Amino acid sequence: MLDKSQYLSNVVIRKGLSFAAFNVDGLRSREEDAKNLLKKTNIDVLTCLESKLDNSILTNRFEVVGYNIIRKDRKARLVNQKSCGGGTIIYYNNT
């Protein structure tokens, strides 16, 4: 369950747009936290850092109603063709 006090300390809400950054350190394990953050706060733009995804994971898994997604994975290592971390997913309000 999302502990709002832990994640909302960096949320800035003023008149107009609201932005937040969330270091998820692996979005697959923090997927519900990111989705709950969006649903409970109505942030306009949420950047999830260190998503640690690769092309074997479909973007639609992370969809949230009312938001579009921009995704940029880190390039795979040459040695084993797997991501070694990094990557970003940006959720932005589509209303």
Side-chain angles (χ1 to χ4, degrees):
M1 187 78 186
L2 177 69
D3 175 7
K4 287 172 51 173
S5 63
Q6 181 180 358
Y7 301 110
L8 297 183
S9 62
N10 294 326
V11 175
V12 176
I13 299 176
R14 296 195 174 111
K15 287 185 179 181
L17 293 174
S18 57
F19 297 85
F22 181 16
N23 186 337
V24 293
D25 193 26
L27 188 57
R28 288 178 281 186
S29 64
R30 303 300 294 277
E31 178 179 351
E32 289 306 312
D33 289 340
K35 289 178 178 180
N36 286 333
L37 181 60
L38 289 168
K39 291 173 187 173
K40 292 176 189 260
T41 62
N42 295 314
I43 294 168
D44 292 306
V45 179
L46 174 64
T47 302
C48 294
L49 307 166
E50 297 292 331
S51 59
K52 298 182 180 177
L53 301 176
D54 58 40
N55 61 4
S56 69
I57 310 295
L58 299 177
T59 302
N60 64 358
R61 169 181 171 173
F62 305 103
E63 290 178 351
V64 175
V65 174
Y67 289 88
N68 292 329
I69 295 174
I70 299 171
R71 174 178 166 178
K72 181 68 175 166
D73 297 339
R74 187 171 180 176
K75 292 183 180 176
R77 290 186 247 174
L78 295 176
V79 177
N80 61 9
Q81 298 300 309
K82 296 203 178 206
S83 175
C84 57
T88 302
I89 284 192
I90 301 171
Y91 289 91
Y92 63 96
N93 193 319
N94 63 14
T95 57

